[in-house]
Amino acid sequence: MSDKTPPARSHGRKTIRPTLTPRDLMEPDPELARAWRAQVITLFPEAFPGALGLSLTGKALKEGRWQLNTVPLRAFGEGKHRNVDDTPAGGGPGMVLRADVMGAAIETARVTQHAGAPLIYLSPRGRPFTQDMARRLSECPGATLICGRFEGLDQRVIDHFDIAEVSIGDYVLTGGELAAQVMLDSIVRLLPGVLGNTESADEESFSDGRLEHPQYTRPAEWQGQPIPQVLLSGNHGAIAAWRRAQSDALTRERRPDLWQALETGQD
Ligand code: SAH
């Protein structure tokens, strides 16, 4: 890895060696000691940074606004073949990740994680992930994400470490790696300095419990469709009122659950 690491470059803070390659195993960079710390326990560390290495999240990773450490589960496997899984107790199809193997990986990860960083298992049985959870996690010092594979994780390790289970939606993936990237993307973009001044998170979908209004840009007319006149009027009050009405109408139509929560004043 070291021969691929670009030379040190300053980004206006202490010298940070920009690299998109997540460090395997746990060698946190002392230069990044205070950065938001993502740890990902996975059988497939090569899946990272994946899409997180692109665009705003990739730039922020290079700039040291957050850091990404992968913990390769295979390294904690049993025996010559480094086995990490075994057949389900009670029978049934597939394989289950062993509690002792995952337990050892978690113990190792813990040593180098910030205090107060939650331990999360990506799981279709978990609490549904929301923008509010992303915001709260962005205010933590980091998070340790556990990616399952096969039939999932032995329940005892979940109970022992009191791991929070989080789902990215009501569908089943092959593994937790894509789910971890989804969560990290939505968290990292909320960290200070990741979105530029022009890309504010304040007015996006879900930030006020509503879906965002439609967006338009040039050309002024396309396929016979003009941009709504009010957006070209320069009347900021009228534009804000139009956007709010669109946002309300979309939310009411597409997400009655969100609309109901707004009307009853909960969220
Ligand atoms: N047998 C399990 C599914 C295992 S899928 C069940 O029926 O609940 C394999 C792994 O993919 C899981 O351990 C989990 O880490 C990940 N995964 C699958 N779907 C997911 C989802 N909707 N959200 C988050 N992680 C998911």
Side-chain angles (χ1 to χ4, degrees):
M1 182 171 111
S2 56
D3 54 341
K4 286 199 203 127
T5 307
R9 194 151 45 103
S10 170
H11 288 274
R13 45 176 76 192
K14 280 228 173 104
T15 320
I16 281 170
R17 205 161 292 126
T19 169
L20 290 176
T21 313
R23 283 154 203 280
D24 72 352
L25 263 185
M26 315 306 314
E27 288 168 43
D29 187 334
E31 290 159 349
L32 300 179
R34 291 195 316 277
W36 196 90
R37 183 172 298 161
Q39 287 186 326
V40 183
I41 303 179
T42 170
L43 265 177
F44 299 101
E46 64 274 26
F48 292 85
L52 300 170
L54 308 174
S55 186
L56 296 174
T57 49
K59 181 163 164 278
L61 187 56
K62 277 200 206 163
E63 288 174 350
R65 295 185 192 278
W66 67 294
Q67 59 179 313
L68 177 58
N69 295 328
T70 52
V71 182
L73 188 62
R74 185 66 67 192
F76 298 87
E78 285 282 303
K80 194 167 69 162
H81 298 295
R82 301 247 164 255
N83 286 335
V84 298
D85 56 346
D86 215 324
T87 52
M95 300 296 270
V96 175
L97 291 172
R98 291 172 58 126
D100 53 349
V101 174
M102 185 59 80
I106 292 170
E107 294 287 8
T108 299
R110 257 186 172 181
V111 175
T112 50
Q113 182 53 291
H114 295 300
L119 193 53
I120 294 170
Y121 169 45
L122 283 312
S123 158
R125 298 184 320 195
R127 271 180 63 200
F129 188 55
T130 62
Q131 185 67 20
D132 192 49
M133 283 165 77
R135 185 188 50 73
R136 279 184 282 130
L137 285 166
S138 75
E139 290 162 4
C140 292
T144 298
L145 305 184
I146 299 170
C147 301
R149 279 274 155 180
F150 320 121
E151 296 307 317
L153 196 49
D154 187 304
Q155 184 63 36
R156 290 170 296 178
V157 82
I158 302 175
D159 296 341
H160 176 78
F161 291 101
D162 197 19
I163 300 172
E165 292 183 66
V166 175
S167 165
I168 64 157
D170 289 348
Y171 39 81
V172 180
L173 304 168
T174 318
E177 288 74 14
L178 288 172
Q181 286 185 31
V182 166
M183 277 187 73
L184 290 174
D185 185 295
S186 65
I187 295 166
V188 165
R189 66 199 293 288
L190 299 177
L191 298 175
V194 175
L195 296 184
N197 292 336
T198 50
E199 302 126 346
S200 164
D202 298 341
E203 291 177 16
E204 289 183 316
S205 289
F206 311 114
S207 54
D208 67 350
R210 291 170 168 77
L211 303 181
E212 195 185 64
H213 55 79
Q215 301 277 13
Y216 299 87
T217 187
R218 281 185 275 274
E221 187 173 321
W222 181 76
Q223 301 279 351
Q225 298 184 73
I227 291 175
Q229 190 54 42
V230 60
L231 297 178
L232 307 175
S233 68
N235 179 338
H236 296 300
I239 292 171
W242 181 86
R243 286 180 165 164
R244 179 57 178 257
Q246 291 282 320
S247 175
D248 282 356
L250 275 175
T251 309
R252 202 177 316 133
E253 180 190 315
R254 295 187 183 175
R255 293 296 302 273
D257 56 324
L258 293 179
W259 189 249
Q260 173 93 31
L262 281 169
E263 284 199 314
T264 53
Q266 357 153 317
D267 55 24

